[in-house]
Amino acid sequence: MPGIGPITASMLAATISDPSAFKTGRHRAAWLGLVPRQNSSGGKDRLGGITKAGDRSIRHLLVMGATTSIRYARSKAPGEGEWLKRRFARKPARLVSIALANKMARITWAVLNRGDVSRKTPPVPVAA
């Protein structure tokens, strides 16, 4: 998986030996501290910066891997890394790297929970 190297993968597997301890990938990302802080009341949602809860070293590795993936995606050919390019059109680079780290944490939870391997989804054919 882009952005996840052998060190990050081994730390994720060693720290969280039982992925079913989390109900969803979102819970795992929140446990790692990769979600915005919420100060909400009266139906009004106020989101702040990332919470920085959980394991600092894993969060650091995920963010650095996401930053590396972003750097690589900027130079890719059209059609590759479109999710990141759409985020860059609206948000600053640091915020996009945290969002990608959050996405990577969710994907790794799904991979570990299913005992599957990460694979790139094939492109959807365009009707002519």
Side-chain angles (χ1 to χ4, degrees):
M1 184 172 141
I4 303 283
I7 295 173
T8 306
S10 61
M11 286 223 21
L12 284 168
T15 305
I16 306 157
S17 58
D18 184 22
S20 62
F22 301 102
K23 188 175 180 181
T24 64
R26 183 179 181 135
H27 290 152
R28 182 175 180 183
W31 182 77
L32 289 171
L34 292 169
V35 295
R37 181 176 312 235
Q38 292 185 356
N39 295 318
S40 307
S41 70
K44 190 179 251 187
D45 294 331
R46 295 182 188 96
L47 299 177
I50 63 167
T51 59
K52 296 187 175 133
D55 193 346
R56 183 178 181 186
S57 59
I58 293 177
R59 185 176 56 251
H60 176 72
L61 288 171
L62 285 170
V63 170
M64 293 310 293
T67 305
T68 305
S69 294
I70 287 170
R71 185 174 177 194
Y72 179 72
R74 283 184 172 177
S75 64
K76 281 186 175 179
E80 295 290 323
E82 289 300 319
W83 183 83
L84 288 172
K85 291 177 184 177
R86 284 194 308 267
R87 296 294 177 272
F88 276 122
R90 299 179 289 157
K91 303 289 182 182
R94 193 44 133 179
L95 196 125
V96 174
S97 68
I98 299 297
L100 182 58
N102 183 337
K103 185 176 181 177
M104 289 169 27
R106 291 175 181 212
I107 291 171
T108 57
W109 174 84
V111 167
L112 287 172
N113 201 30
R114 293 185 185 127
D116 203 359
V117 295
S118 179
R119 59 189 176 276
K120 186 176 178 179
T121 55
V124 179
V126 179

